[in-house]
């Protein structure tokens, strides 16, 4: 007798190769139209599924999980950040949560570097100038930005992405500074030529570029508060490719408008997909639609991780990317 395949509900459209494999391995319910699920649809999904595959656009909070059916044993998130899943409630209901670390590290670090360059060298502004027909030709003092070579980069969160950024930054001649809950291994510090700051406040006051690379957890919500943003030097810039909630967005917007901070590169926002309308008016902000990990290769790799996590779990083993709350 063949064993019944588990019902896997996938909330968004995934790369085709992943969806095909998902159908072969499991009783997969896909979202071909890619319309984000409403709360009611998510509730219906957790009632029925053996496995749920959400993404960052699904809020799997305690109200949704309260409806989880007895079959729901695994939430196999498509993505590394799991701040949209109520991990505590999942744990209390005996639901395992997995994510997709490692495979988006290099892409996200590339995008962070791209934003550092775009803000410092006014790349987006220059592009807008050409397209608007306002460019009248080269001039010695036109479109001057700032050199990044020789400047100080302060990385907030020295995990995988922070370290991948540090490697790139070294190549661009930036000196690497970091703040992390735990100091990294001395060998890693030596390899990255990185200076550890126990005090985030002190680091913020001493660097030229701040990059946010830590996960969003209750402890990092508004870590870059209005008070901390004020510690930054007026010529400094801030880049965020992690989560919008880590930065006090209204305070940042005000400070950018008043030039208390020189510029910002944001790939993430506090209330995605909504973007503070005042940010849209600012020339010194480069804004991207949460595309740090958006490469074809990355998305396929993420999907493969999801497949492996589900398969390992339904075969009765501990999935490789089980999320352990305290380690976030
Ligand atoms: C993903 C991300 O695209 O993995 C993450 O944590 O922020 C993004 O790069 C998204 O979360 C997929 O769910």
């Amino acid at each position: 007798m063949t064993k019944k395949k588990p019902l896997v509900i996938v909330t968004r459209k995934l790369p085709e190769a992943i969806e095909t494999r998902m159908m072969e391995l499991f009783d997969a319910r896909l979202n071909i139209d890619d319309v984000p699920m409403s709360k009611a649809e998510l509730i219906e999904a957790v009632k029925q599924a053996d496995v749920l595959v959400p993404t960052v656009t699904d809020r799997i909070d305690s109200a949704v999980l309260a409806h989880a059916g007895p079959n729901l044993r695994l939430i196999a998130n498509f993505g590394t950040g799991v701040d949209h899943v109520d991990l505590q409630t999942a744990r209390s209901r005996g639901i395992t949560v997995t994510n997709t670390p490692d495979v988006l590290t290099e892409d996200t670090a590339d995008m962070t570097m791209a934003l550092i360059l775009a803000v410092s060298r006014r790349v987006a502004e220059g592009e807008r100038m050409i397209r608007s027909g306002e460019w009248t030709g080269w001039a010695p003092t036109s479109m001057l930005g700032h050199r990044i070579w020789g400047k100080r980069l302060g990385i907030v969160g020295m995990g995988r992405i922070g370290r991948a950024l540090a490697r790139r930054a070294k190549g661009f001649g930036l000196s690497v500074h970091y703040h992390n809950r735990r100091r990294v291994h001395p060998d890693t510090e030596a390899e990255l030529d990185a200076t550890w700051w126990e005090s985030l406040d002190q680091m913020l006051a001493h660097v030229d570029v701040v990059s946010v690379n830590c996960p969003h957890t209750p402890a990092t919500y508004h870590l870059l508060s209005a008070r901390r943003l004020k510690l930054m030097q007026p010529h400094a810039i801030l880049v965020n490719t992690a989560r919008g909630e880590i930065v006090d967005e209204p305070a940042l917007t005000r400070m950018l408008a008043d030039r208390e901070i020189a510029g910002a590169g944001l790939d993430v926002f506090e209330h995605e997909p909504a973007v503070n309308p005042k940010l849209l008016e600012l020339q010194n902000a480069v804004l991207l639609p949460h595309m740090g990990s958006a490469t074809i290769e990355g998305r396929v790799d993420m999907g493969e991780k999801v497949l492996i996590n589900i398969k390992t779990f339904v075969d009765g083993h501990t999935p490789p990317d089980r999320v352990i709350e305290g380690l976030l």
Side-chain angles (χ1 to χ4, degrees):
M1 203 177 77
T2 50
K3 225 169 102 196
K4 198 170 154 285
K5 287 180 177 176
L7 173 61
V8 178
I9 300 186
V10 185
T11 67
R12 300 296 301 268
K13 170 132 195 67
L14 301 185
E16 221 158 287
I18 302 303
E19 290 192 334
T20 305
R21 199 69 191 120
M22 198 70 91
M23 302 274 279
E24 287 166 356
L25 289 170
F26 316 116
D27 174 11
R29 200 177 294 165
L30 306 176
N31 181 354
I32 304 296
D33 300 332
D34 203 25
V35 179
M37 285 186 176
S38 64
K39 190 163 187 151
E41 286 168 323
L42 284 173
I43 287 175
E44 211 37 54
V46 297
K47 272 186 192 166
Q48 297 174 27
D50 296 302
V51 178
L52 182 75
V53 179
T55 74
V56 69
T57 57
D58 307 299
R59 190 133 298 283
I60 314 296
D61 54 18
S62 57
V64 169
L65 287 175
H67 297 271
N71 295 338
L72 186 68
R73 296 270 62 94
L74 175 66
I75 295 175
N77 187 54
F78 182 88
T80 303
V82 283
D83 51 327
H84 54 291
V85 180
D86 184 332
L87 296 176
Q88 236 179 317
T89 305
R91 182 166 38 82
S92 70
R93 299 185 72 103
I95 301 167
T96 299
V97 178
T98 60
N99 65 347
T100 62
D102 298 319
V103 290
L104 36 72
T105 300
E106 304 301 333
D107 296 330
T108 308
D110 282 347
M111 195 57 95
T112 310
M113 207 57 232
L115 279 173
I116 293 172
L117 287 164
V119 176
S120 304
R121 300 299 305 276
R122 305 172 67 179
V123 173
E125 238 182 299
E127 227 263 345
R128 281 195 293 274
M129 179 188 267
I130 298 251
R131 286 184 192 274
S132 66
E134 278 166 25
W135 189 42
T136 52
W138 185 88
T141 56
S142 144
M143 289 305 290
L144 304 185
H146 283 283
R147 176 187 294 160
I148 65 164
W149 182 268
K151 299 283 163 60
R152 294 191 180 98
L153 166 67
I155 300 176
V156 182
M158 199 57 138
R160 283 175 289 255
I161 296 171
R163 292 196 295 269
L165 172 64
R167 282 187 203 103
R168 283 157 177 77
K170 245 183 105 176
F172 279 88
L174 286 153
S175 63
V176 175
H177 300 253
Y178 77 98
H179 169 78
N180 201 50
R181 272 182 311 171
R182 282 180 292 267
R183 192 169 177 169
V184 300
H185 194 277
D187 292 351
T188 312
E189 251 183 31
E191 180 219 333
L192 301 173
D193 241 329
T195 304
W196 181 59
W197 292 76
E198 187 171 7
S199 157
L200 172 59
D201 289 10
Q202 280 181 16
M203 183 181 84
L204 292 174
H206 282 89
V207 296
D208 308 293
V209 178
V210 173
S211 176
V212 182
N213 298 104
C214 59
H216 168 221
T217 65
T220 64
Y221 175 76
H222 279 199
L223 182 66
L224 291 176
S225 58
R227 180 190 70 77
R228 286 215 170 98
L229 291 171
K230 279 199 172 45
L231 299 172
M232 287 172 63
Q233 306 181 73
H235 71 267
I237 66 166
L238 177 106
V239 168
N240 187 3
T241 51
R243 282 293 182 268
E245 292 91 334
I246 302 166
V247 180
D248 181 337
E249 197 174 284
L252 174 68
T253 307
R254 273 195 311 274
M255 292 176 71
L256 285 169
D258 298 344
R259 297 276 168 171
E260 289 174 52
I261 293 177
L266 307 175
D267 185 45
V268 287
F269 303 89
E270 230 185 306
H271 305 286
E272 288 179 25
V275 177
N276 187 326
K278 292 197 187 113
L279 267 179
L280 301 177
E281 291 165 14
L282 300 176
Q283 287 285 355
N284 55 344
V286 177
L287 312 173
L288 296 179
H290 199 146
M291 55 194 270
S293 71
T295 65
I296 294 169
E297 296 86 344
R299 288 291 144 86
V300 170
D301 290 348
M302 286 160 77
E304 273 164 9
K305 278 208 162 244
V306 171
L307 290 168
I308 292 168
N309 282 321
I310 302 175
K311 186 78 180 92
T312 319
F313 184 82
V314 299
D315 286 348
H317 308 289
T318 303
D321 305 309
R322 188 159 71 93
V323 173
I324 301 164
E325 270 167 82
L327 292 184
L328 287 178

